[in-house]
Every structure is written in C-alpha cells, then in structure tokens.
Amino acid sequence: MASVCFYFQVHQPYRLRRYSVFDTTDAYFDDEKNAEICRKVAGKCYLPANQRILELIKRHEGRFCVAYSLTGVVLDQLEAFSPEVIESFQRLAETGCAEFLAETYYHSLSFLYSREEFVAQVEMQQEKIGRLFGKQSTTFRNTELIYNNDVAQAAHEMGYRAVLAEGADHILGYRSPNFVYCPPKLPIKVLLKNFRLSDDIAFRFSNRSWPEWPLKADKFAGWVNQVNGNGYTVNLFMDYETLGEHQWEDTGIFDFLDHLPGEILKHADNDFKMPSNVAASYEPVGEFDTEHLISWADTERDLSAWLGNEMQSNALQEVYNLESAVKAKGDEALLSDWRRLQTSDHFYYMCTKYFADGDVHKYFNPYESPYDSYINFMNVLDNVAVRAKGTAAASRGA
Amino acid sequence: MLGWEFPPFISGGLGTACYGLTRALDQLGHEVVFVLPQPVDNRSATHVQLKSPNDCRTSPAYQIHGLQHVEFHGIPSNLQPYISPGDFVQQAPAAETAVPNDPQSAGGMTGHYGGDLFTEVRRYAKIAAQMAIDEKFDVVHAHDWMTYPAGIAVSAISGKPLVVHVHSTEFDRSGELVNQRIYDIERMGIQNAEKVIAVSYFTRNIVLKRYAASAAKVEVVYNAIDRNGEHDALPPPIERDEKIVLFLGRITMQKGPEYFLAAARKVLEYEKNVRFIMAGSGDLIRRSIEMAAQMGIGRKVLFTGFLRGDDVARVYKMADLYVMPSVSEPFGIAPLEALSHDVPVLISKQSGVSEILTHVLKVDFWDIDEMANKIIAVLRHPPLRATLREHGQFEVRRLTWQGAARNCVEVYQKAIAALN
C-alpha cells in the first residue's frame, strides 16, 4: 500500500514599500505591488490550479485529494485583491477532498522568539480557516517546515495529532521518509517530506539538463510504485506556486498534474490521502528525534536562510523586543503592522548566503541586495517602535 | 609597457593599476620593459638615479627591488597621470628651468615643450619610439591617452601589436565638456590598437558608443588589489564615540564631492555624533571647503589634503564607512582598498567596480536622500557594518592582480594573433 499525500504551501507576504529613514508615515506596505503580485499569481497559478484539482477530484470521484496550508496574510490579500480565489478554494473545501492545515497566521518565526505570540497566531489562522472553509485541521505545519522536538511538543499541547517536517537525511540516516514517525515520548505523529520526489516536481521538472527530463506522469507514478512494500506514504510537499508560477504552464506542469492521479491509481494498492488521514491510518515505526532545528530550505535544511547573518538575527530580535510595548498599547492597527513585519520573507530577503552567486534567493527578492532589505526593514521597525513606545526608537548599538 | 608612476609616489588609481599589473606579470614570469615619465623636478625621487635630459635617448635601464623581470626606462618628462592641459601650462615655468634648452634632448625636437601638454605628449612618443629600437618585446601596452601616441609610435617602428588600456576617458573626467584634442588622441589610440582593454563594462560601453570601437576588439579586465597585511601593524586608533564617514580620492568633478557634502548635511540633521573626512586633493577642493561652510557643516567636515603611505591606512582604520559618490567612475580601486582595510563601503552605481562588488551598498550618485538614508543606517546599526565587513573582505580577496595579469596576457595573445 502506498499513499500519495500532497500538501501545497500557499503564501504571499505583505511586501514593504521603499521606506527611508526620513519617512514618518505608518504606510509601510506596497499595496500596489502586493495587489499586482497577488493578481498575477492568481492568474498563473491559484485559479488554474484550483480548477484542475477540482476537476481531478470530480473525475476520480473523491479518490484524489490534496491539502493546503494557507497563511492568514495570503487569505487577507486574496480577499482584498482577488476574492475569486477564495471562492475557488471554498469550492474545493466543499468536496471534502481538501484539507486546510494549521500554521501561523503571519508565516512567522514566532515559535523561536515568543511562544505566546506563536500560539496566538496559530489560533488566528485556524479561526480564519474555520470561518472561510468550515473545517479546521488536526495537522500542524510550522513556517518553512521549521521543526524540532519542541515544535512537536507545542503542536501536541495545542491539540494537534500530526505535524509536518522535512525528511532530512541527517536525522533519518538510513531510514525512509515514507513511514510515519513520532517524536520521543510524545503521542503525536510526524509526517516527513520525501524531498527527492517533491523536488523532482518543484525544482527539477523543467530542467532540461536533468537526465529524467521530460518528466511525465507515468514515469513519476513508477517511482511511487517502487515505494510499495517498503513504505506507507509518499509525502509530496511543495509551494503551490510550483504549478504555473515557478514552473510555467508551457513546461507542461499542468498536463503532468492532470495525468498523475490516473497513473498513480492504475496500481490497485495506491491511493491518495490527506495528512490527517495518513496520521490516522498508520502507526509510527520509530522515533524522529531532533533537538536541532531543521527546515525545508536550501541544501542545508537549517535556519540559515533566515538567521544566517548578524543583520537577520538583529532584525528578528528587534521585532520581538517590541512585543510587550506593542501589546500594551492596545492599538489594533499597530498590532497588525507589527505582526506583518514578523513574516519570514522579510528576513529571507536579508540572506547573504549565495547572494553573490545569484540563485533562488535572488529570484524571490524584491530588493537589489540583502543590505537594502535590512535598511528598509529597520527604518520601518523604527517607526513602529516610535508608535509603540511614544518616543524611543528601536534600541541602537553604539 | 607604457605606464605611469611607481611606489612610493602614487597619486591615484592609474599608478596603482600599472604597479599592480606589472608586479603580477613579473610574478607570472613575463618580461616587462616598463617605460614611464620621470619627473625632472622631483626633488624627492631618491630611489632612482635621475639622468640628465641630455642622456634621454640613451637613458639607461634600471631595476626595482623585488621585480626580477622588469626593466625600467624613465623618460625625463613632466607628464603626470591626472594633469589637464590648463594645469600643464601653469607648471611650465618650473619645467623650463629644469630642462636645459638643448635641441638634442628632445629627440630632435626643440626643448621648449613646457607650454603645451600636447607637444609634450608628442615629444614623449618620439623618445619612446627611439628607445624601443633597442628593446625586444612582443606586444606594446599603453595606459591612458597621454601614452597612446607613444604606443602608436612604438608599435609602428617595431611592427608589434598595440594594446591600449582605457582606465578612464575624457567623458568620465570632463562630463560633456570634452577637450576635443584629448578625445581625438583617445580615439586614435583606440582605432590603432589591435586590442583595447577597458577596466569595466561601464567603460567598455563608453568606448563602443563614443569612440566607435568594434565590439570584438574591446575586452574587459577588472582592476584588483593585493593584500599586504602592513596596515595591521598600525596601533589601534584612539577610542571615540564619534563615527567617521570617509571620502578618499581626488576632489574633482568626476568624483562627486558635492554629492558627498549634500548627503553629509542631510545625515547631520539626524545624527549628531558623526564627522565627515574628505581626504585628497584636486581642483574642487577650495569649492568643497566653501560649500561645506555655506551649508553650515564646516565644523563637521575635515579636509586632510592628499594622504600617502601610513596616513592612508590610518584614515581607513578610523573610518566607519567609506563613500565613493563618483559621477562617472571607470573602475574605482579605492573601494577595494577600503574593503581590504575592513571598512564598509557605499559606492555609486555609476562605477565600474559596482559590477564586481555585491557586498557593498550602492546608490545613484545623484540620489542624495538615498545616500543619506544608507549612511545613517550604517551609523545606526552595528550588525549592518559587521555583515558588510565580513562578506566584503571575503569578496575582495578574490580580486587579485595575478588574476588581472592573466587576463591581460590572454588579451596580448589575441592581439598578437590579430596581427599575424
């Protein structure tokens, strides 16, 4: 028996506008650009992909299913700029074949800095999911699949039955990601991303120098079939924007998606499952034990994309240093602005790793350099600090 | 190699580049005959024996310690890397007293060259060509316009290919107010060369657009820097609260001193504990001092004049940020020096060096607000300084003169092939 478990990450940050040290307004976000990007991605990915998936669910009479993790900030932006996308997600929810996972509303790194803020943001996101799609999930995923035993502990305390993580080789060793594991001494299940098969779709699909190019659904189904007998589930976790945005329509990505369920289901032992079904169906085969934090980012699978240099750790620290002042102020607009600044993307833009080589980090970066992004962010944060504390700006070193 | 000044008398990037390149060619085992103008009234030139101008046609070669494959030939001349036709006229009386009026000394020309830079450039070319008759070499490499006529003459008399190295153009130095005669000489050099080396794509574009060079002929070789741990031996600077923002370079239109001052004024409205240092000399120094005074920031801006040797290392050691606001900078070696001295760097996007540096701050030279915004950020946020320093140092270490010299050798080979 091999189950295929799709989970797609859906997220867009509130990008900041150019904010110099001379600016004094509280208009921090680039509404025009955020609207433009939202509409563009809706047109290239969210709407056509949702439509295909809805058709696939109908065509396979419920035997095909998927999961999404929608951040609060992408939902807010879609409601404002592209409400038809919300409606199309609602149609998917009505089929009962789409699960909407729990995560932090602001796609934040709050787990690392403030447990109070972390819990508040997960509750906010679940409240929003419940309101829009009628059903909350029993599976939790942390921002960028950031995970260690403590994340599992926190998810368990919040009542979740499963948590998602990267199937990192250096933790698994010889073991396979295609089983269900549990953290040490906790009754919660860990589902691990099969990063090889996931990245075949997310990163290598259109790479013409990849020996497997062009990747067709039957070939991919063959790889899944090989798991049969030595694994329960193939967890394919990726950004939703893979479909149509990272891999453009002309790469054939939608045709691939269109044929994949049929090819997978040709094998009588295969099926599709959503994360909560996987967790409910299989017992853990062993412990997935990591004190060190892992993530799904870069080849390092660690936190260095957000916490790899002094600027990043300084900016993050300064954001959370303002928590009590912001919350004491009782100003909803201020609280919302401060929370939007917690979105992990802001810190990803400050990453200096590989910057000189111009890679995936650059592709996603609206700034010319990580230094520009830090300067811009700190200028905004300074203004938030002034609003929160009345006078003093964010603490400055000598 | 028709080059320029050697240490310890280096007045700018052109001399630094000639020295760095020649030393690296030497280290790679290439033989270099290095011809340079030898200032006739330079009283401090103790490291070389100056020959009387009467001997110039047979000027004996000399060597400099540490350079095994380089033979130097000084041609008595008051040519200087950054001199303008106007300046040269002003200096003429000094030159005339130093050079005896002997028709023989000027290679058959009259010795009255003092009044006109262009006459001197031609005289220099003639002497260089005569000197070349007795030398063996495979390629002629000329650096910037004053040596192009010499390069053309040497190439013609020897039949060896000419490579001209464009470190700057008349458009960089003078904006749109170009001196037509200089432009003509530059164009003649570029047209007559088998190969042209531009110090950046920024400069290559100018060479293609303004000098009508064919694209296939123009190659880019970036300048570099050699780390010499000498500055580490300096005592640590005095502890202080005040932050220092440094401008170091010639104070000329090309280098954008007025943009630096305008940004300084803006910064000082927000940050009190900061001082701006302008190190260097140039024709805009008086105007810059006056401008600072008029802005009411005279007390906060310090002019040091031209710095040399340890003083350069000292001022870098004091600086919290180095700013190069150049209006049109073909390359810009100074930011590399700043980085190798652990100083974070802010450069204008209108510079060749911005093509190869990623771990620096960049602005458009005219964008005073953004320049001030970035200066303030560097002053306020130690993590920004630390990250820029850490990565900048690493980046600058990859830019070596040996790498540049290897690229030049490749260009030489292409030039030789082009001629055959």
Side-chain angles (χ1 to χ4, degrees):
Chain A
M1 188 83 193
S3 301
V4 172
C5 175
F6 265 115
Y7 133 63
F8 297 110
Q9 181 63 37
V10 187
H11 167 62
Q12 293 294 334
Y14 276 97
R15 293 165 196 84
L16 296 168
R17 71 178 179 89
R18 289 303 147 101
Y19 195 90
S20 95
V21 72
F22 311 115
D23 281 301
T24 51
T25 73
D26 57 7
Y28 307 137
F29 304 99
D30 192 339
D31 294 336
E32 206 176 311
K33 189 168 166 197
N34 288 324
E36 181 195 316
I37 292 175
C38 240
R39 293 195 188 105
K40 189 188 85 179
V41 180
K44 283 177 83 170
C45 165
Y46 302 154
L47 289 171
N50 281 3
Q51 184 58 36
R52 301 269 177 152
I53 286 171
L54 186 64
E55 284 164 16
L56 285 167
I57 289 169
K58 288 181 178 158
R59 193 190 309 161
H60 295 283
E61 295 167 335
R63 293 173 68 210
F64 178 65
C65 55
V66 295
Y68 294 99
S69 194
L70 295 152
T71 65
V73 283
V74 78
L75 290 170
D76 286 344
Q77 293 189 77
L78 290 171
E79 283 178 315
F81 307 131
S82 211
E84 65 277 19
V85 177
I86 302 279
E87 290 159 23
S88 78
F89 274 119
Q90 285 167 336
R91 281 193 292 277
L92 284 169
E94 285 160 12
T95 65
C97 294
E99 179 176 3
F100 296 90
L101 306 179
E103 73 160 304
T104 60
Y105 196 96
Y106 292 91
H107 200 261
S108 72
L109 304 173
S110 53
F111 178 80
L112 307 174
Y113 290 89
S114 166
R115 204 57 67 86
E116 176 192 315
E117 179 63 14
F118 170 73
V119 171
Q121 289 188 16
V122 176
E123 285 170 356
M124 277 177 79
Q125 189 259 5
Q126 278 297 280
E127 190 276 325
K128 180 137 193 150
I129 292 290
R131 188 153 40 82
L132 287 174
F133 307 114
K135 200 168 165 222
Q136 298 184 343
S137 172
T138 56
T139 302
F140 175 74
R141 73 123 240 169
N142 198 17
T143 305
E144 306 285 351
L145 289 196
I146 291 172
Y147 178 89
N148 70 357
N149 295 342
D150 293 340
V151 172
Q153 173 81 37
H156 170 62
E157 285 168 11
M158 286 188 285
Y160 293 99
R161 296 202 198 111
V163 57
L164 308 188
E166 174 73 19
D169 279 339
H170 66 280
I171 312 289
L172 278 173
Y174 66 90
R175 298 178 297 172
S176 156
N178 304 327
F179 289 95
V180 172
Y181 293 85
C182 64
K185 303 185 192 76
L186 274 179
I188 187 169
K189 288 167 183 170
V190 188
L191 309 189
L192 298 174
K193 174 182 154 194
N194 183 320
F195 70 80
R196 286 184 188 85
L197 289 174
S198 297
D199 292 352
D200 283 343
I201 300 173
F203 298 123
R204 289 181 280 273
F205 185 80
S206 62
N207 180 357
R208 285 165 184 254
S209 58
W210 180 41
E212 302 296 346
W213 185 88
L215 180 59
K216 298 288 181 196
D218 53 345
K219 186 193 283 179
F220 192 85
W223 295 341
V224 168
N225 291 337
Q226 287 170 16
V227 172
N228 237 309
N230 49 33
Y232 302 148
T233 170
V234 175
N235 296 323
L236 301 175
F237 299 169
M238 65 196 73
D239 285 335
Y240 202 28
E241 294 82 11
T242 299
L243 307 176
E245 169 71 14
H246 304 166
Q247 309 290 350
W248 289 8
E249 184 170 7
D250 61 15
T251 62
I253 191 76
F254 284 117
D255 286 341
F256 173 81
L257 177 68
D258 206 45
H259 291 104
L260 189 64
E263 291 294 333
I264 297 281
L265 294 170
K266 269 185 187 168
H267 199 303
D269 287 340
N270 292 344
D271 67 358
F272 285 90
K273 278 191 167 65
M274 296 180 284
S276 294
N277 306 135
V278 172
S281 306
Y282 304 113
E283 285 309 308
V285 297
E287 274 187 3
F288 187 75
D289 179 7
T290 174
E291 295 295 335
H292 292 290
L293 288 152
I294 57 170
S295 81
W296 73 358
D298 300 338
T299 49
E300 291 89 346
R301 318 272 175 193
D302 61 10
L303 297 193
S304 56
W306 309 276
L307 265 171
N309 66 40
E310 282 192 48
M311 297 190 297
Q312 293 171 304
S313 61
N314 172 251
L316 272 161
Q317 196 58 58
E318 295 288 353
V319 170
Y320 288 98
N321 283 349
L322 292 176
E323 178 174 359
S324 53
V326 167
K327 289 183 174 169
K329 197 83 179 174
D331 174 342
E332 280 304 316
L334 174 66
L335 181 63
S336 162
D337 285 344
W338 173 71
R339 283 181 160 156
R340 285 180 185 182
L341 293 181
Q342 293 179 39
T343 299
S344 65
D345 303 62
H346 299 304
F347 311 100
Y348 188 82
Y349 302 147
M350 298 175 198
C351 179
T352 43
K353 204 169 53 162
Y354 317 128
F355 169 56
D357 309 332
D359 69 336
V360 61
H361 285 256
K362 226 172 202 170
Y363 175 79
F364 292 111
N365 200 331
Y367 296 93
E368 280 176 37
S369 88
Y371 305 101
D372 288 7
S373 114
Y374 172 79
I375 291 169
N376 209 54
F377 184 86
M378 294 306 277
N379 286 339
V380 170
L381 194 63
D382 232 27
N383 191 269
V384 169
V386 170
R387 285 165 70 198
K389 295 179 181 173
T391 52
S395 70
R396 282 175 199 150
Chain B
M1 181 88 73
L2 294 153
W4 293 96
E5 47 193 9
F6 249 63
F9 304 106
I10 284 194
S11 59
L14 184 55
T16 308
C18 285
Y19 174 58
L21 208 52
T22 304
R23 206 172 63 158
L25 284 168
D26 177 70
Q27 286 161 354
L28 296 173
H30 298 283
E31 292 190 7
V32 181
V33 180
F34 196 96
V35 181
L36 76 168
Q38 206 85 78
V40 282
D41 59 345
N42 194 338
R43 270 145 295 189
S44 48
T46 51
H47 69 304
V48 289
Q49 200 193 348
L50 274 177
K51 293 291 172 187
S52 143
N54 289 330
D55 302 332
C56 66
R57 240 189 300 176
T58 54
S59 170
Y62 60 94
Q63 291 207 306
I64 287 181
H65 180 68
L67 298 172
Q68 295 181 351
H69 310 102
V70 187
E71 191 183 291
F72 288 86
H73 288 273
I75 295 181
S77 167
N78 276 338
L79 292 181
Q80 290 169 26
Y82 301 107
I83 205 158
S84 70
D87 294 336
F88 196 80
V89 173
Q90 284 165 21
Q91 287 190 1
E96 267 176 343
T97 54
V99 183
N101 189 356
D102 174 357
Q104 294 302 309
S105 72
M109 293 174 62
T110 143
H112 285 288
Y113 61 82
D116 181 350
L117 180 57
F118 299 98
T119 310
E120 176 61 3
V121 166
R122 279 202 300 276
R123 187 188 73 95
Y124 187 81
K126 283 206 169 186
I127 300 174
Q130 284 173 6
M131 197 176 259
I133 295 171
D134 302 327
E135 297 294 337
K136 286 183 75 179
F137 50 89
D138 301 308
V139 67
V140 187
H141 188 165
H143 295 267
D144 264 11
W145 75 272
M146 278 182 259
T147 68
Y148 292 171
I152 294 169
V154 172
S155 172
I157 210 161
S158 63
K160 301 296 181 186
L162 172 65
V163 174
V164 301
H165 201 133
V166 185
H167 296 267
S168 80
T169 69
E170 184 60 6
F171 296 96
D172 302 305
R173 293 182 297 264
S174 309
E176 291 303 315
L177 301 168
V178 296
N179 182 310
Q180 186 62 35
R181 293 178 73 183
I182 295 179
Y183 170 76
D184 287 343
I185 293 174
E186 288 182 328
R187 199 181 48 185
M188 190 174 67
I190 287 163
Q191 296 297 335
N192 278 281
E194 263 66 47
K195 277 285 181 184
V196 178
I197 295 174
V199 290
S200 60
Y201 283 94
F202 179 84
T203 296
R204 184 175 183 269
N205 281 340
I206 295 176
V207 169
L208 297 184
K209 272 192 206 149
R210 305 276 199 159
Y211 296 86
S214 74
K217 189 157 127 177
V218 190
E219 309 270 348
V220 171
V221 175
Y222 290 114
N223 288 326
I225 186 163
D226 285 326
R227 282 182 72 80
N228 53 20
E230 281 169 27
H231 50 268
D232 297 332
L234 288 174
I238 303 158
E239 288 287 321
R240 60 193 158 72
D241 292 339
E242 200 174 48
K243 296 271 179 294
I244 300 231
V245 179
L246 174 67
F247 173 106
L248 192 154
R250 279 175 296 117
I251 302 183
T252 60
M253 186 281 291
Q254 184 189 351
K255 303 290 180 179
E258 68 269 39
Y259 300 98
F260 181 75
L261 287 172
R265 174 168 63 179
K266 190 112 197 182
V267 169
L268 285 163
E269 287 169 22
Y270 290 79
E271 292 289 309
K272 297 294 166 225
N273 227 2
V274 54
R275 195 176 288 271
F276 294 81
I277 295 183
M278 296 193 78
S281 55
D283 57 4
L284 287 188
I285 191 159
R286 278 188 67 104
R287 220 176 92 190
S288 298
I289 293 170
E290 285 163 13
M291 203 176 146
Q294 280 160 11
M295 287 174 167
I297 58 171
R299 209 172 52 80
K300 286 290 195 177
V301 185
L302 192 73
F303 291 84
T304 66
F306 185 78
L307 298 181
R308 57 183 81 210
D310 274 357
D311 286 343
V312 174
R314 263 188 211 107
V315 79
Y316 277 132
K317 201 134 201 166
M318 290 166 68
D320 296 283
L321 175 67
Y322 170 82
V323 181
M324 185 184 76
S326 295
V327 171
S328 181
E329 185 69 66
F331 186 79
I333 288 182
L336 304 186
E337 288 172 351
L339 287 172
S340 80
H341 282 89
D342 260 357
V343 184
V345 161
L346 167 60
I347 56 177
S348 76
K349 292 179 185 172
Q350 289 69 30
S351 68
V353 74
S354 76
E355 293 167 21
I356 50 167
L357 292 180
T358 50
H359 293 284
V360 296
L361 303 176
K362 298 177 189 179
V363 291
D364 290 308
F365 72 87
W366 42 261
D367 194 347
I368 303 299
D369 281 359
E370 185 57 16
M371 203 184 293
N373 179 42
K374 287 189 162 141
I375 293 172
I376 291 171
V378 170
L379 299 175
R380 283 187 182 174
H381 303 299
L384 177 59
R385 293 202 293 277
T387 313
L388 281 166
R389 250 191 229 120
E390 185 192 333
H391 290 87
Q393 256 235 44
F394 188 76
E395 189 166 45
V396 82
R397 246 178 265 165
R398 297 186 308 197
L399 309 169
T400 65
W401 279 116
Q402 288 211 3
R406 278 193 199 95
N407 294 339
C408 280
V409 171
E410 271 179 41
V411 177
Y412 297 159
Q413 283 158 353
K414 287 183 193 168
I416 292 164
L419 204 63
N420 293 331

